[in-house]
Amino acid sequence: MYAWEKTVVDEITVKSSAIAHSNIALIKYWGRSLDHNANLNIPSNDSVSMTKHGLTLDMRLQTHTTIDFSDAYEEDTAILEGEVLIGREMERILRVVDPLRKYANIDSKFKMMSENDFPTQAGLGSSASGFAALAIAAVTALGIDFSKEEISTYARLGSGSATRSIRGGFVYWNKGNSHETSSAEQICGPDEFNMNSVIAIIHEGTKDVTSDVGHESAYTSPFNEARIRKSQEQAREIRKAILDDDLSKVGRIAEENCRYMHAVMMTSNPPLFYWRPETLRLIKSVQRIRENGLECYFTIDAGPNVHCLCRPEDTYELQKTLEKMESVNKTILVEPADDSHATREHLF
Ligand code: PMV
């Protein structure tokens, strides 16, 4: 750790900040392992993602978080986008901070403030960047000397996908079989696999059922066991394809894995339909664009918006093509991000 990463105001006041990026899953995490306490967010399969960096200045697809531990605070407070968090949202914050506070042997209360530069809970990965930023800021503030892999296990306690957002580029989350072993590692850096994404925004509103709740019903689908088995194989295959810079293989596997997850969602009890009619239209369009010679592939997280994966040199042409479509409200251009990191810029 570097001295500038934390501000020690006096012995009992420690403030730190972090900036973390969201990510798009190429092999999806959907459903927690039934063999472990659900609060640990240990998944039933390995997953793989690209950490996202928005190419437009006002939308980098990142969360900026500041946390301050001080004996001057009488209670823990967390503020997201100006709103004080309560209930389940606050519980998830505490699931990350409490074990870290215990590890550091500190019992001061904290104030946390967090801001996203993109829509929250709209299927764009705000919980991934949010809990990754929280874990980095808290570990730094508390002066804990953890590796990035260890930090990823604490990010996981807030949101599974946050495990992968600690690292940049392309990331592999080993499901593991305990808190310590369910962690993320980098497959390769942002410049080592040539892939960008154009996100076609169909709808920006918040989703009816958050993924946090959705994970609970995955096992009720009769197709979930098959999805888990296939995902394990695909996670290994896609890792190799990423290292081989093989976009065709990565794209084909990512599309297939996305369809498996949405099939499980739609056949769970209660069923979850994250797609809108426009989502299906976009899937067909991506297939058509590909047939016409511009190589691109779709993947969709827990929301209606479609990530269109392509070679970096095709990004602007793909954007132009997608923006002509009636179903597309706007597009966000994405390239692989660097690692999420601590920053000296504090929000308060
Ligand atoms: O981390 P959560 O609980 O928000 O779940 C993420 C679920 C998906 O985005 C649909 C898939 C994934 O692996 O990121």
Side-chain angles (χ1 to χ4, degrees), residues 176-219:
N177 55 18
S178 62
H179 168 66
E180 291 74 21
T181 55
S182 186
S183 64
E185 61 181 349
Q186 191 177 56
I187 298 173
C188 67
D191 301 327
E192 291 168 88
F193 173 44
N194 291 306
M195 190 176 83
N196 279 7
S197 165
V198 181
I199 314 175
I201 303 289
I202 283 165
H203 179 76
E204 262 184 293
T206 53
K207 41 195 172 189
D208 299 338
V209 181
T210 63
S211 36
D212 182 43
V213 173
H215 289 295
E216 283 163 22
S217 60
Y219 76 95

Side-chain angles (χ1 to χ4, degrees), residues 23 25 27-30 32 47 92 127-128 159-162 164 211-212 215 261 265 301-302:
N23 68 75
I27 300 300
K28 313 290 186 186
Y29 148 54
W30 193 247
R32 303 178 180 101
S47 58
R92 291 174 75 188
S127 62
S159 164
S161 53
R164 300 183 308 242
S211 36
D212 182 43
H215 289 295
M261 178 181 74
M265 289 165 160
D301 271 350

Side-chain angles (χ1 to χ4, degrees), residues 31 34 54 76 80 86 119 143 158 163 187-188 228 239 243 277 288 290 303 316 321:
L34 296 176
D76 294 327
L80 171 61
I86 51 168
T163 317
I187 298 173
C188 67
I228 294 172
R239 171 162 45 194
L243 290 170
R288 207 177 41 248
R290 185 161 74 225
Y316 292 102
T321 312

Side-chain angles (χ1 to χ4, degrees), residues 124-136:
L124 292 174
S126 61
S127 62
S129 51
F131 285 104
L134 174 64
I136 295 172

Side-chain angles (χ1 to χ4, degrees), residues 228-238:
I228 294 172
R229 207 177 47 250
K230 281 298 286 180
S231 298
Q232 259 334 91
E233 286 168 27
Q234 290 180 319
R236 288 181 202 121
E237 269 180 72
I238 211 168

